Amino acid sequence: MIKAHHVSKEVRSAEGKLVILNEVSLSLDKGQSLAITGASGSGKSTLLGLLAGLDLPSSGSITLDGDEITAMDEEGRAAVRARSVGFVFQSFQLLPGLSALENVMMPLELHGVAGARDKAQMFLERVGLAERLQHYPKQLSGGEQQRVAIARAFASEPAILFADEPTGNLDTVTGSKIIDLLFDLNREQGTTLVLVTHEERLASLCECRMQLEAGKVLLTEECA
Amino acid sequence: MLALRLLWRNWRSGEVKILAFSLLMAVAIVSGIGVFTDRLENALIKESNSFLGADRIVRGSKPFDPAWHLDADKAGVEHAEVTSFSSMVFAGDDMHLAAVKAVTPGYPLVGNLVVSDVPFSTNVAEQRVAANIPPEGEAWVDSRLLPLLGVKLGDTVFVGEHSLQITRVVISEPDRGDGFSLFGARLLMNAADLPATEVIQPGSRVSYQWLLAAPDAQLKPFLADLELKLTEHQRVVDLESAQRGLSKTLGTGQRFLMLAGVIGVLLAGVAIAISSQRFAARHVDQVALLKSLGAGAWRIRSLYAAQLFLLALFASGAGLVVGELLQRAVAILASQMFNIELALGGAEPYFIGVLTGFVCLLFFALPPLWHLPVVPPLKVLRRDMPVEPLRNGLQALLGVSAVLCLIWIYSGDLRLTGSVSAGLGVIVGLALLGAGVLLNIGRKLAAKKGHIWRLALASLDRRRGQSLVQILVFATAFMLLLTLSTVRTSLIDEWRFQLPEDAPNHFLVNIAPWQVAPIQTLAENNELEISALYPMVRGRIQQINQAEPENKRSEAWRREVNLSWATELPKDNKITDGVWWDQWSPSVPNEWGVSVEKGIAEDLQLNIGDQISFSLGGLELNARVASIRSLNWDSMRPNFYFLFSPGALDGYSPMYLTSLFLPPEKKLFINDLLHEQPTIVVVEMDKVIAQIRTIVERVSAGVEGVLWMVLASGLLVLFAAVNASMDSRMQEAGLLRALGSRRKLILGSVAVEFASLGLFAGVLAVIGTEVLLLGLQAWVFNIPVQPHYELWLLGPLLGAALVGGLGVYSCRKVVTVAPGLVLRELA
Ligand SMILES: Nc1ncnc2c1ncn2[C@@H]1O[C@H](COP(=O)(O)OP(=O)(O)O)[C@@H](O)[C@H]1O
Ligand SMILES: [Mg+2]
């Protein structure tokens, strides 16, 4: 499902060349889940962005759902994202001007899915927000906002879900609930999951683990 | 339709509303002003053409070729003939040299002939608009003719060999102001009776006028053909040549309205640019999200383009409605205030309004949004990732050049465009140079003041770039508004000044020297003031520098002109070359000097020192040109082409001329006067003046109404600009509040911050205004250039108050709502 081959990312900064990701390779089959862990600044988000096709590596190749996205242009990668990818972010990334329901409807509408409203409503009910459909993000708590984001991600039934520290902005109790929800839905839909986290409980729920340090792979646990 | 839904959802956030509202305002102002100006113009053209009683007149000293009538009918041009001459009118033993006007059916083609059955009527209820001309055998006369001849309505008088029954009195004729040549009381008769009077003989002095009226489309080609057939004794007269002062007023008024429209668009454009910028800033995240969801750059482009297009469509539609309502409101207001009615306008302004909306969107809204489609999708993961909008300078350049193009297209006036550019240029230049300095000075001053001041100035300093842009925007808006209101004031003042309430409205002519004292006594008894008396002799130019030119085209060679002398230079006259009598000395003893009006001097190619010979009733008078004078033709005072040095005309038995102001309630003074001194001639200008005043008031009302429309859009710009920086300020204020700062401190610092911005902007605006006014006054409106001291106080103060107030208003939420909520909303 996902294959990364010697992926490196360098950026130019004032002090010269900076290697933020160094020769990372990985492989993940359909339905498997991977946890990427590591200290802050070790390159987790960078790797996630590359795997999801949001950015291009300096070298190496990445294949996503059968397409070599590193050989594509941005429009092509956008098409792949539209077809196969969903996201959950640390900072939720809900649009403040839209209600919960509209936020979930957004990707469905963008992809021209029929019955977007019903589907969105169904997923919001699934994440336990049946009563909050018309509420705006600022009227919701952090945990509720993240549940909306999860509903949005799963509503378009992606083949692969990328989550960047989905519990990073939440307290432990709320975080656990979000984790359970995430894995429940993952199981129901058979989604491939790539998860960035520094929470042990969350990482331990994944079949495979990869730990980064300063852009290098420190440890890979073979998928269970 | 996704774009529509997105637009609807985006609508809830403020910036789309401001964007839509600015767009609406641009369309409303352009179409509103356009339609209003159109209507006003149509009404004014009608009203002013009624000075002619027609759209055009062909004037001649011989009857017109009857074949022309057929041509006019064929071309779809309305026409009527007016034959004017002086003739004795008899009733028993009484007689009067009346100004007779014989008219054909249709007269007047434009404007109203008002008549009454009550002589000397001042009561509108007794007056009515005549539907026809006098029937054959009847005459309508000036009220004063009745006592002069000792007759009453229904009596019969003789014009030449023909008797006519007087059936009505004439209250006003539209074309009364037409020249001073006929001094007697009016007698209006049917042209069909003319042959029977046998007064017109070969050699009689008769003026023939052929009145024409039609829309320009028909009239212009007809006139072009007609001009070819005119003899040298016939010429076409339009308002321009008939009423110089009036057509100048109209022209100025139109230019003002155009300037106002241009300024309105400029302001709306700025508002659009600001709100688009804010829209773009707020949509970066949305675009990044859409991209992470798989929307490509082209999808984003089409989504946003469609939203903008829809927005433009709705806003333009609403703008047209609002514009229509605005112009109707202004028209109704104007008609209530000045009792005027406006004609209908065309459809063109609506079209131009919508076009303007789209152009504004293209040049003001698009550049700030240009970078949105290329926002990197990675931004969803790395929120701090910088995005690179189109450079501010480039955006401003695009906007400004679009505006200048628009101004130029609307006005077709390079000078106006140039003046506005110069004003803008000065503001931008000074802002770039001076704003930093001002901010530094402000900070130093603030250091000595309290907490609030330091906080405010530090905040400004931190946002140097943004502050600079805001100062620029405020300054531009203030400049345009100050300019518009200053121009309006000086125009209206000038118009009022041209025709003050107590401007002389009657001329007394043909006063013999021995009549001067009795007339003055009579005036004093009636508490009336008679202005200076001018001696007057009619004469003809014979030679210039002992020679007659081959080409005597100038009117002055062909006609008798009024000659006079004066010790003092008349009030409105200005010497443009040479000197007045107090500094003049003859080159040979006993030589007379003459001061010549500028226009006629140019016509006759006269220079200082030239010698002119006049013939005054067969007697010769030689004089040397001592000065050239310009004079004010609008002043309604006696004006003379030639003014001699004192005493020059004493030997030529001059008659005297004077003017006086007669309020309506003392109108009957004329009857007493004429009863006592029947040989003098009274020229009544009061109705003409009233008509001119109506027109001036209409133009003023229009100017006033449009000013208010533009002020509204100016406020909108300020509002948009203040709001644009509110996000970050609210966040800071919310933080301060959460940290326990008191309401007074926060609002105080916001007030000081914005008031300082307003103050800086006000100073810049005043400088820009002076530059812009310099151009406008010198080139566009031809009013004397002068500094406007009041602006130097008003501009900065108003700026500080307005911007400060708006700042506090926009930020008020931060102190009325719990700090937690504020922070949460802004997170
Ligand atoms: N475009 C970039 N320019 C400069 N530095 C970058 C860029 N992207 C990432 N970095 C740096 O690379 C390192 C890794 O970043 P990131 O992947 O966000 O780490 P993590 O998600 O593990 O906390 C950080 O030190 C970050 O500052
Ligand atoms: Mg990260």
Side-chain angles (χ1 to χ4, degrees), chain B residues 258-470:
Chain B
M258 195 172 64
L259 176 75
V262 159
I263 286 179
V265 175
L266 203 58
L267 289 172
V270 173
I272 290 172
I274 297 170
S275 40
S276 304
Q277 214 141 25
R278 196 162 187 228
F279 180 84
R282 286 204 169 175
H283 277 250
V284 165
D285 285 343
Q286 184 165 343
V287 167
L289 185 77
L290 286 171
K291 284 197 150 186
S292 79
L293 293 174
W298 278 107
R299 187 77 200 279
I300 302 281
R301 223 163 258 147
S302 61
L303 268 180
Y304 276 84
Q307 285 188 61
L308 276 189
F309 180 79
L310 287 170
L311 187 70
L313 216 58
F314 296 143
S316 300
L320 287 182
V321 173
V322 172
E324 180 68 19
L325 292 177
L326 268 180
Q327 68 94 357
R328 279 188 191 196
V330 171
I332 289 172
L333 217 67
S335 66
Q336 279 174 353
M337 269 160 76
F338 301 106
N339 191 23
I340 58 174
E341 217 165 285
L342 295 179
L344 283 177
E348 195 187 20
Y350 299 103
F351 175 71
I352 293 184
V354 172
L355 190 76
T356 306
F358 277 84
V359 169
C360 278
L361 207 63
L362 217 60
F363 285 91
F364 291 106
L366 216 49
L369 300 175
W370 194 248
H371 65 286
L372 275 186
V374 293
V375 165
L378 194 60
K379 180 120 177 111
V380 286
L381 282 181
R382 306 185 50 83
R383 304 200 76 174
D384 53 329
M385 211 165 152
V387 284
E388 275 175 28
L390 220 53
R391 301 254 317 270
N392 272 337
L394 187 63
Q395 286 187 27
L397 202 72
L398 272 174
V400 168
S401 36
V403 159
L404 294 183
C405 286
L406 276 179
I407 300 179
W408 194 40
I409 290 168
Y410 288 152
S411 64
D413 190 334
L414 219 50
R415 289 161 164 185
L416 194 143
T417 315
S419 303
V420 176
S421 324
L424 282 178
V426 164
I427 283 197
V428 173
L430 282 180
L432 291 178
L433 287 175
V437 179
L438 279 177
L439 282 177
N440 282 340
I441 295 175
R443 212 180 32 186
K444 289 216 179 83
L445 286 179
K448 295 190 195 114
K449 299 260 176 176
H451 203 44
I452 292 180
W453 287 79
R454 266 203 306 280
L455 206 63
L457 269 297
S459 162
L460 278 185
D461 205 31
R462 223 176 314 123
R463 301 188 178 89
R464 250 167 202 262
Q466 200 185 42
S467 302
L468 185 69
V469 171
Q470 277 183 322

Side-chain angles (χ1 to χ4, degrees), chain A residues 9-13 18-21 37-48 55 90 164-165 196 212 215, chain B residues 378 381-382 384-386:
Chain A
K9 179 74 180 174
E10 293 165 359
V11 292
R12 281 179 202 293
S13 69
L18 188 72
V19 181
I20 47 180
L21 215 57
T37 56
S40 181
S42 57
K44 306 185 294 290
S45 295
T46 308
L47 178 60
L48 188 89
D55 198 10
Q90 177 178 3
D164 190 5
E165 308 202 27
V196 167
L212 290 182
Chain B
L378 194 60
L381 282 181
R382 306 185 50 83
D384 53 329
M385 211 165 152

Side-chain angles (χ1 to χ4, degrees), chain B residues 39-100:
Chain B
R39 292 181 64 182
L40 190 69
E41 220 167 274
N42 287 350
L44 288 175
I45 288 175
K46 271 239 172 67
E47 173 83 30
S48 26
N49 279 345
S50 73
F51 271 87
L52 301 174
D55 293 334
R56 296 287 196 290
I57 292 179
V58 184
R59 207 172 266 170
S61 52
K62 299 261 150 44
F64 298 103
D65 185 346
W68 292 1
H69 292 191
L70 281 176
D71 296 344
D73 289 337
K74 239 185 276 167
V77 174
E78 274 187 276
H79 56 101
E81 269 191 64
V82 174
T83 311
S84 316
F85 52 91
S86 291
S87 174
M88 278 299 176
V89 177
F90 303 91
D93 290 339
D94 289 316
M95 60 177 145
H96 172 74
L97 186 64
V100 181

Side-chain angles (χ1 to χ4, degrees), chain B residues 468-528:
Chain B
L468 185 69
V469 171
Q470 277 183 322
I471 288 179
L472 268 178
V473 169
F474 293 144
T476 306
F478 289 150
M479 171 183 83
L480 296 176
L481 295 179
L482 286 178
T483 301
L484 201 61
S485 41
T486 309
V487 170
R488 159 211 162 260
T489 311
S490 45
L491 282 188
I492 290 182
D493 283 356
E494 198 193 53
W495 291 333
R496 298 252 154 87
F497 179 74
Q498 265 176 22
L499 280 182
E501 279 301 320
D502 56 353
N505 54 6
H506 288 78
F507 287 87
L508 308 184
V509 193
N510 204 32
I511 305 170
W514 61 88
Q515 289 175 312
V516 171
I519 289 177
Q520 269 167 339
T521 322
L522 188 64
E524 272 164 33
N525 292 344
N526 281 280
E527 290 165 16
L528 292 169

